[in-house]
Structures are given as structure tokens and as C-alpha cells.
């Protein structure tokens, strides 16, 4: 069994926190992880009987399934949260409630404030490459270390496309390549038939697959809602609701824009990425041959790196903010890790097998803007060798993300 980094985070949280929520997209491994956490009563709200009780009489539900209890798919009964709050306020025992959710419950009405100060939230996204490799090294923490020398990293250029196509959802990642498509088709269909309808009473569910396809085609681009509205024919206000729904289901992830205190004008629009490159490739009908074209590989590789960085940041000691930089004069850095007092790291992603001095233009610009706060700049590439390109500037094989 693959050891998840989230396991230790859950165990630690249960020792001092009354309510622990593990949330992430469906089929990311939440139920499997929580089943490993000691002997606890477990109930799933995918089961119609406990779901009906939780919605009709949440207090009676908690008497029927008392702590310490694990409640799976808790987003299906948001009525439970006030009952849990009342229980915890009377008896604040650590580890009373371990919850899992396939939707971001903090985006659900009246839920965000009900457990403030009583609940720790742990993200469990699809498998990161470090977990697949059995590695405990966090590349993000290494970037913020006082010393950095990546020359020991040796890339395996032939592997990255296979990793992209497999993605990180446990079941398709471990399947034969020709068996992944049916899994993703069923996954999207079940989301539309169940989770979308649970969370929102909206019309036009048939438009969701097309919207997902357009987001896949535009991965790594700024989220231009007006442009998407024009291309889909979906009204602007409706499209905004759809995008919020996809975010709530963890299918769409956004990287906000970074800006400085200088007088320079920075773009303010977030960039959008799908949660998993296996899903992205399914939607885009991309196979290994198609991804040999660096022009097609480029945005998919950027999505791959975005996904890995989000996971690594959530488990890092430095806990930086993941952002991107773009000025109105088109100066860009793919990713900016803002570690506050720890400094700032810039990361560029290139689908080529080596780096060129011109690839560091955006990173040098970032260094000039932030001055002494600039920790280092990294160009991730598909080659097999790491090289310095100046003071605090490195070209590094993408394998460093899990190495």
C-alpha cells in the first residue's frame, strides 16, 4: 500500500483537535486513509439510511453514531455541522470527529463559520509523485533552505510523459493505459449525476463536460470568464457559478496572481489548472505520441508541475503561497512561491530537455523587483542534469519534484 503524506498529518491532528476534516476530490484516497487511523466507528453518507437521518435529525444521528466516529462524505449533509459544533462545545475531546468530504465544505453556505477554531482541515489531493516513489523529501522546503545544490538530481527524461498520462488518482494511475479512459468517463458521469446535483440546483448539467474540456484546453491560462462565456454560450453569471462548483469539487484549481508594492502594474487574474493531468489528457484526447510535440506538452507539463507544487506546499514546513506573476507588459513567471519572511522563489517550467539563458528572463525580473527577498529561481526542464545559471539561478530536472 502506498504511504500517504496525509496519514501522519491526520494522526497528529486527532491528538489535539476535536474535529479533523480530510477533504479532496472523489477517489483521491480519503476513505482508504481514514480507515488506517485506529479503530473507530465509521459511517458513510453515501448510504441512504444514515444520510436520511443526518439530514432529518442531525442530533439523533450523533447519538446513533457517537464519537469517536469517522463520517465519510460529510458534504452530503451540511445539517450535521451545527450539531457537531454543539456536541464539541459541550465536550471538547480531541479526535471526536474525523470527517471526509469530496467537496470543499468551506464553500457551502453557513458551514464555514460553524466549526471555526474547532476543526483542522487536511487536503488530500490525488497521489503526488513523491508518494508513488516512496520519498519523504519535500522539494518545496528544499527551495527555501539556506543552501541549495541540485547537481545530485539526475533526471529520467523518458518517464515524465508516462507520469503525466497516469496522473495521480490511485485507481487509474495503477491501471493499464488503455483502461484509464473508461475510468475517467465513469468518474465524470458520476460527478454530474450525484455530486453536482447534491451541491447545486442548476440547469444545463450537459454543458459541464464541454466546460471541463475547454478548461483542459486552456490549462495554465488566466481564467477569462468573459472569453469562456462567449465560447460556451453560457451566461456570465451562470458560468461563474459553474466555475465555483468545479472549484468546490476540487476539479478546478486556481493559482492567484502575485504583485509587489512597487508602482509596476501586475495582472490580477488567476490561472486555472485541472486537479489531475490524467483527467486532463483524457478530456483532451492526448496520448503519448501527441505529447512528444513540445508545443502540446508545454501547458500539460505546467499543469503537472502546478498540481505537484500544490500538494508539496500543503505538506511543507515553509507553507508558502503558490502564485504566478504577469505584468501588463508581459513579463511572466509561471509560479511564485511567497514564503513571507523566508523569501520568494520563482519557478519556470520548460518542456525542453535543457534550459537556455533566455528562460531565466522572468526570474531575473522577479529578482530585481523583490531585491533581498529573492531566495532563488528555478527552471524545471525535461533533461537529466542540473546546472547553475548564475547567482541563485538553477536549471533542474523536473524529477527533483519527487527526488
Amino acid at each position: 500500500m502506498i504511504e500517504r503524506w496525509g496519514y501522519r498529518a491526520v494522526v497528529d491532528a486527532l491528538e489535539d483537535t476535536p474535529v479533523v476534516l480530510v477533504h479532496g476530490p472523489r477517489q483521491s484516497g480519503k476513505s482508504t486513509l481514514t480507515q488506517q487511523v485506529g479503530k473507530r466507528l465509521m459511517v458513510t453518507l453515501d448510504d441512504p439510511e444514515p444520510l436520511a437521518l443526518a439530514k432529518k435529525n442531525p442530533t439523533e444521528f450523533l447519538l446513533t453514531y457517537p464519537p469517536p466516529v469517522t463520517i465519510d462524505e460529510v458534504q452530503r449533509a451540511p445539517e450535521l455541522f451545527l450539531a457537531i459544533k454543539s456536541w464539541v462545545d459541550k465536550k471538547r475531546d480531541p479526535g471526536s470527529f474525523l470527517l471526509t468530504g469530496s467537496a470543499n465544505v468551506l464553500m457551502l453556505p453557513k458551514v464555514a463559520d460553524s466549526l471555526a477554531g474547532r476543526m483542522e482541515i487536511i487536503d488530500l489531493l490525488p497521489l503526488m509523485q513523491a508518494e508513488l516513489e516512496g520519498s519523504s523529501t519535500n522539494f518545496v522546503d528544499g527551495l527555501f533552505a539556506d543552501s541549495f545544490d541540485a547537481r545530485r538530481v539526475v533526471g529520467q527524461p523518458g518517464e515524465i510523459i508516462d507520469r503525466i498520462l497516469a496522473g495521480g488518482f490511485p485507481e487509474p494511475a495503477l491501471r493499464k493505459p488503455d483502461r484509464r479512459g473508461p475510468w475517467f468517463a465513469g468518474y465524470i458521469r458520476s460527478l454530474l449525476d450525484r455530486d453536482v446535483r447534491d451541491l447545486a440546483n442548476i440547469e444545463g448539467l450537459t454543458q459541464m463536460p464541454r466546460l471541463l474540456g475547454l478548461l483542459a484546453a486552456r490549462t495554465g491560462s488566466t481564467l477569462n470568464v468573459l472569453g469562456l462565456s462567449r465560447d460556451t454560450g453560457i451566461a456570465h453569471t451562470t458560468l461563474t457559478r459553474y466555475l465555483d462548483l468545479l472549484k468546490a469539487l476540487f476539479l478546478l484549481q486556481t493559482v492567484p496572481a502575485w504583485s509587489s508594492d512597487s508602482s509596476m502594474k501586475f495582472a490580477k487574474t488567476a490561472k486555472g489548472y485541472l486537479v489531475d493531468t490524467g483527467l486532463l489528457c483524457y478530456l483532451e484526447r492526448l496520448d503519448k505520441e501527441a505529447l512528444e510535440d513540445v508545443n502540446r506538452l508545454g501547458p500539460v507539463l505546467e499543469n503537472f508541475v502546478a498540481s505537484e507544487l500544490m500538494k508539496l506546499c500543503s505538506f511543507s514546513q515553509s507553507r508558502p503561497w503558490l502564485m504566478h506573476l504577469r505584468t501588463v507588459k508581459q513579463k511572466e513567471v509561471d509560479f511564485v512561491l511567497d514564503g513571507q519572511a523566508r523569501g520568494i522563489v520563482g519557478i519556470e517550467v520548460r518542456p525542453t530537455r535543457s534550459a537556455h539563458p533566455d528562460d531565466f528572463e522572468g526570474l531575473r525580473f522577479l529578482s530585481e523587483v523583490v531585491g533581498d527577498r529573492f531566495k532563488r529561481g528555478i527552471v524545471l526542464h525535461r533533461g537529466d542534469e542540473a546546472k547553475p545559471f548564475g547567482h541563485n539561478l538553477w536549471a533542474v530536472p523536473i524529477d527533483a519534484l519527487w527526488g
Side-chain angles (χ1 to χ4, degrees), residues 177-346:
D178 62 350
R179 293 296 304 150
R180 293 173 187 150
W183 188 91
F184 283 117
Y187 183 76
I188 293 172
R189 185 166 57 249
S190 67
L191 284 177
L192 297 182
D193 290 345
R194 179 170 54 182
D195 293 330
V196 169
R197 295 182 190 278
D198 281 350
L199 291 176
N201 181 22
I202 60 176
E203 299 177 356
L205 289 180
T206 55
Q207 295 175 309
M208 276 292 192
R210 183 171 176 235
L211 177 57
L212 269 174
L214 282 173
L215 291 170
R218 300 181 182 194
T219 186
S221 301
T222 52
L223 277 176
N224 183 342
V225 179
L226 288 175
L228 278 171
S229 176
R230 182 175 58 252
D231 292 346
T232 58
I234 303 173
H236 182 277
T237 53
T238 302
L239 182 60
T240 300
R241 290 176 60 208
Y242 284 12
L243 292 174
D244 287 343
L245 184 57
L246 291 175
K247 292 177 190 176
L249 292 172
F250 301 98
L251 293 180
L252 174 64
Q253 297 179 303
T254 56
V255 173
W258 180 89
S259 63
S260 76
D261 297 330
S262 70
S263 60
M264 194 169 300
K265 293 183 178 180
F266 292 84
K268 298 180 180 180
T269 308
K271 294 203 293 187
Y273 299 95
L274 294 194
V275 68
D276 183 72
T277 53
L279 176 62
L280 188 160
C281 291
Y282 166 76
L283 292 167
E284 279 280 270
R285 301 295 188 263
L286 295 173
D287 56 17
K288 195 165 186 176
E289 182 179 356
L291 292 178
E292 292 294 345
D293 180 348
V294 293
N295 293 318
R296 301 195 74 178
L297 175 63
V300 182
L301 185 65
E302 184 179 326
N303 197 131
F304 177 85
V305 172
S307 297
E308 291 299 303
L309 289 175
M310 289 176 189
K311 299 166 193 175
L312 290 166
C313 285
S314 70
F315 291 111
S316 71
Q317 294 180 354
S318 45
R319 289 279 180 163
W321 297 335
L322 178 63
M323 313 178 89
H324 79 93
L325 181 155
R326 177 174 294 174
T327 72
V328 295
K329 294 184 178 180
Q330 303 304 308
K331 295 283 189 181
E332 296 183 47
V333 176
D334 291 334
F335 302 107
V336 175
L337 300 178
D338 191 338
Q340 297 297 293
R342 293 174 180 262
I344 287 179
V345 173

Side-chain angles (χ1 to χ4, degrees), residues 75-136:
Q75 82 283 347
R76 304 199 72 192
E79 297 86 352
L80 275 176
F81 283 91
L82 284 177
I84 291 173
K85 174 183 181 294
S86 178
W87 185 294
V88 169
D89 286 347
K90 294 174 183 175
K91 196 172 184 182
R92 207 179 179 93
D93 293 336
S96 294
F97 297 94
L98 176 56
L99 314 176
T100 79
S102 295
N104 189 339
V105 298
L106 299 183
M107 297 180 71
L108 301 179
K110 299 180 181 180
V111 170
D113 296 331
S114 61
L115 289 170
R118 304 167 181 85
M119 178 169 69
E120 182 168 337
I121 300 172
I122 296 166
D123 297 330
L124 195 74
L125 296 172
L127 288 161
M128 68 176 79
Q129 298 302 308
E131 290 172 325
L132 287 166
E133 292 297 313
S135 171
S136 60

